[in-house]
Amino acid sequence: MGTRISFAAYTTEALDGSAVHHALAEGMAAVRRIEAKMTTWRDDSEVSQINAHAGGDAVRVGADTLTVIQKSLWIAEQSGGVFDITFASMGKLWRFDQDLTPAVPDAADIAQARRRIDYRRIALNPKARTVQLTDGAQRIDLGGIAKGYAIDAAARAMRAAGLAAFYAQAGGDLYVAGRKPEGARWRVGVRDPRGPESTYFAL
């Protein structure tokens, strides 16, 4: 999903190194399963297929993708559209990833693209488990919610594999459980966005 995934756990009397590695692998498998459905970095994901069929047929999706889109629309409604997964309809006017550019888009292009942003145009059929973008110019991106959903899935998988103390992180989404073997709490830091990768301004 275009971010770095980090897991950490310690061996204990009940869990040796092999067991811990197995649990971490189960967590990563859960993340990869969610990523395969919801990333926009792969053309074969369910979200990419929804975007590819914008203005056309509804796309049948799995239970996870439907759940996340339903929750996204609920949040959009509750926030008055402040959170809106159709923000991706702005296209590549601003580029922040591998194609980063400092150029400021033309105001007219911004205004035109903003008119495409409207979560209310997403048509869901929960019974048929389909999603449809009724506007051919619309696109969705679950980047604001899918990583958190994936980390929650990873945490469930690692707990099921026997881990009681661990942390799992995907970008800004973090799940912490239990304590370190000596009883210390996990420390969570907020990285300085303008400093080197190893510098933090809050712990």
Side-chain angles (χ1 to χ4, degrees), residues 11 15 17 30 44 46 58 61 69 73 76 79 102 134 139 176 179 198:
T11 57
L15 292 173
D44 61 347
E46 291 177 348
V61 299
I69 292 177
L73 297 184
S79 68
T134 58
R139 301 292 183 271
V176 178
R179 292 175 180 257
S198 60

Side-chain angles (χ1 to χ4, degrees), residues 3-74:
T3 193
R4 178 179 297 175
I5 307 293
S6 299
F7 293 157
Y10 289 87
T11 57
T12 66
E13 291 183 1
L15 292 173
D16 62 12
S18 177
V20 169
H21 278 106
H22 170 73
L24 296 179
E26 289 293 299
M28 184 56 72
V31 170
R32 288 193 174 114
R33 178 175 58 82
I34 300 302
E35 178 190 32
K37 298 176 182 180
M38 302 184 202
T39 187
T40 56
W41 292 68
R42 290 173 47 171
D43 293 337
D44 61 347
S45 74
E46 291 177 348
V47 168
S48 291
Q49 288 302 302
I50 293 168
N51 288 336
H53 289 82
D57 296 334
V59 175
R60 182 173 170 79
V61 299
D64 288 312
T65 301
L66 181 67
T67 295
V68 171
I69 292 177
Q70 285 178 313
K71 180 61 73 172
S72 298
L73 297 184
W74 178 82

Side-chain angles (χ1 to χ4, degrees), residues 12-153:
T12 66
E13 291 183 1
L15 292 173
D16 62 12
S18 177
V20 169
H21 278 106
H22 170 73
L24 296 179
E26 289 293 299
M28 184 56 72
V31 170
R32 288 193 174 114
R33 178 175 58 82
I34 300 302
E35 178 190 32
K37 298 176 182 180
M38 302 184 202
T39 187
T40 56
W41 292 68
R42 290 173 47 171
D43 293 337
D44 61 347
S45 74
E46 291 177 348
V47 168
S48 291
Q49 288 302 302
I50 293 168
N51 288 336
H53 289 82
D57 296 334
V59 175
R60 182 173 170 79
V61 299
D64 288 312
T65 301
L66 181 67
T67 295
V68 171
I69 292 177
Q70 285 178 313
K71 180 61 73 172
S72 298
L73 297 184
W74 178 82
I75 297 170
E77 188 68 30
Q78 295 298 308
S79 68
V82 173
F83 182 90
D84 191 333
I85 59 176
T86 65
F87 77 90
S89 304
M90 292 289 285
K92 290 292 186 179
L93 289 180
W94 275 284
R95 300 180 183 183
F96 301 105
D97 296 315
Q98 74 279 2
D99 53 354
L100 177 68
T101 176
V104 177
D106 181 77
D109 291 338
I110 294 173
Q112 181 179 10
R114 285 184 65 182
R115 289 194 287 271
R116 304 172 193 151
I117 300 176
D118 188 349
Y119 66 92
R120 293 165 295 189
R121 298 184 203 165
I122 299 174
L124 292 187
N125 185 330
K127 186 174 182 180
R129 222 163 63 197
T130 61
V131 183
Q132 182 183 27
L133 299 182
T134 58
D135 183 338
Q138 270 198 321
R139 301 292 183 271
I140 63 171
D141 189 314
L142 301 180
I145 187 172
K147 287 189 286 291
Y149 186 86
I151 287 298
D152 285 346

Side-chain angles (χ1 to χ4, degrees), residues 153-169:
R156 289 193 297 271
M158 289 189 285
R159 285 185 184 278
L163 284 184
F166 60 88
Y167 86 74
Q169 179 182 11

